Amino acid sequence: MNSVIETIKKRRSVRHYDSKPIPKDILEIIIDAGNLAPTGGNAQAWRFVVITDEKFRKKLTTLALPRYKNWMTNASQSLKEMRKVIDDSVEDPVYYSAPVVVFVIGTGMTSDCDCSMVCENIMLSARSFDIGSCWVFFGQLVRDEQEVRKALELKESEKVYGPILLGYPKGDFPDSMPKKKPEIKWI
């Protein structure tokens, strides 16, 4: 099978990470793969903040956890039930104690589309190195905390995409979740 298709088929959202660090040269390759994403008008209006410092990662969790719990109070019952399974199996239900947190930060008219492709490139390239990843919406709940804004050097015009968690999976990669058949209309 084509290696790109094989990597796409093997990508999973990993929520249980080993504490083993990812070598910096591998992280640089993964970030560079994100940087190679397509972009409207070749704007490339994104940047990356890669957090490997354990103390700062724990600070992110401390700040995000109450916001996550508050957000979940208004969530649908089905989401609450699904998240309960996850929350009961991890100590950190926001960043999953991943050794690396990558904030993709973008700005501009096409950044919603562009930065989504950046995130996918990061996740696929990580998988090609047998590194797990997870895109976590809840991880950006801290973006209005002054300490986080300062650390990320986040400007008013910028948005946070992801963040993307990276790390070696604890145990095996999770099994694939069932996917619906694609709805296709051929003309």
Side-chain angles (χ1 to χ4, degrees):
M1 178 184 300
N2 174 298
S3 63
V4 173
I5 301 300
E6 187 175 322
T7 300
I8 291 170
K9 287 184 173 195
K10 289 181 358 183
R11 194 216 56 81
R12 303 284 181 272
S13 293
V14 173
R15 293 181 177 88
H16 300 281
Y17 294 96
D18 191 311
S19 60
K20 175 182 167 186
I22 301 171
K24 188 174 182 184
D25 62 323
I26 301 296
L27 283 173
E28 288 171 341
I29 293 168
I30 291 169
I31 296 302
D32 190 52
N35 198 53
L36 294 171
T39 177
N42 199 29
Q44 300 177 48
W46 54 67
R47 61 188 182 85
F48 307 92
V49 177
V50 181
I51 299 169
T52 58
D53 180 77
E54 184 176 0
K55 186 177 175 185
F56 193 75
R57 286 185 291 113
K58 286 182 178 182
K59 179 71 166 181
L60 287 173
T61 299
T62 300
L63 293 169
L65 204 50
R67 291 162 184 259
Y68 165 72
K69 289 177 179 177
N70 184 51
W71 192 90
M72 286 302 294
T73 61
N74 297 317
S76 69
Q77 190 58 36
S78 62
L79 178 60
K80 286 178 183 178
E81 289 169 12
M82 188 265 301
R83 289 298 307 182
K84 182 171 177 18
V85 172
I86 295 168
D87 292 357
D88 288 349
S89 71
V90 295
E91 184 179 313
D92 170 8
V94 179
Y95 300 100
Y96 305 113
S97 303
V100 179
V101 179
V102 179
F103 284 87
V104 177
I105 299 169
T107 187
M109 184 174 70
T110 63
S111 65
D112 287 348
C113 297
D114 297 348
C115 291
S116 296
M117 292 184 282
V118 168
C119 291
E120 183 69 5
N121 275 15
I122 288 172
M123 293 185 292
L124 290 173
S125 62
R127 184 60 179 98
S128 76
F129 287 101
D130 289 328
I131 293 169
S133 66
C134 191
W135 178 88
V136 289
F137 163 77
F138 299 119
Q140 63 174 289
L141 294 175
V142 296
R143 70 187 180 277
D144 62 343
E145 284 283 345
Q146 195 56 38
E147 184 177 354
V148 174
R149 291 187 71 79
K150 183 177 179 181
L152 301 179
E153 298 177 5
L154 197 59
K155 299 173 187 75
E156 280 301 316
S157 61
E158 294 178 315
K159 288 176 67 176
V160 171
Y161 297 89
I164 306 297
L165 308 179
L166 299 173
Y168 294 100
K170 189 178 278 188
D172 293 328
F173 276 84
D175 291 333
S176 175
M177 298 297 288
K179 296 288 185 181
K180 299 184 297 185
K181 291 276 186 198
E183 186 177 318
I184 304 171
K185 177 181 178 182
W186 298 90
I187 299 178

